Amino acid sequence: MPFAELGDLRLHYERDGEGDPPLVFVHGWCCDHTFFAPQLEHFRTAHDVVALDLRGCGASSVPDGGYDIPTLAEDVAALCAALGLERLVVVGHSLGGMIGIELAARHPSLTAATVAVDPGPIDPLPEALRMFEALLADLEGPSSDAARRAYVEGLFLPCDDAERRRRIVETMCAVPAEVAAAVLRGVIEWDGVGALRRCTSPLLVLRSQTGGSNDPARLLALKPDVRIGVTVGAGHFHQLEVPEQVTPMIERFLRVTAAYGRLGQG
């Protein structure tokens, strides 16, 4: 089981394949590297692929702090430096999509492109912020475990596979409660608008049928060249539920972006 020692932080990662551009997969809130398993299996045949466990998740260490989105993005940047990765494409799900956009804004020479798979709120409406603030209050209260489980259960469509749903719920409810709350606080405090405006590299946002917290018109107003795709018949975890839709859209985005020469720009 490989680890990167980044000062006091120990990050677990998995790496496979070879080929450019390298793809770095960043999971969502309370998830781990396995949440991109179908995409890793597909892209390892032609790309250097890396999937990590963010701090506080999976097999990575659980420090007392550092769960805001800028720090999580710097963790990814430090891992990439340790592994010698350059001009990479970040593929992030949910929270990971937000981290990918922050990374692109902070390190434009590192990030060739970003794919945000049903990302968390980038330019949230007031009602979305109120919902997350209420969830944070519940996570910090006496019924934290029940509140988290109920929230995660609401991210699926009724038709989703029962066993996959059970695995996702159990994984996400195993992360320490203080980590879950700290990351959610970082989501609420994140300046997504500022990050998106500073993001100059190509960006693909893949929305699920449930829609999430991102209105396409608001995203396009901030970044007119953003590409937006929508999957059919799946909930928030659509990279696992309908990889036959998600993976080809990522592949097409990489192909078209490369054809226009954007992946090679600094």
Side-chain angles (χ1 to χ4, degrees), residues 184-205:
L184 185 57
R185 188 177 300 109
V187 167
I188 294 169
E189 295 173 350
W190 182 52
D191 180 14
V193 170
L196 189 59
R197 283 176 171 159
R198 301 194 312 274
C199 179
T200 58
S201 56
L203 171 64
L204 170 65
V205 174

Side-chain angles (χ1 to χ4, degrees), residues 86-90 100 103-105 107-114 201-202 265-266:
E86 299 177 341
R87 300 304 298 153
L88 53 94
V89 176
V90 177
L103 183 69
H107 297 278
S109 63
L110 174 65
T111 307
T114 304
S201 56
Q265 292 181 354

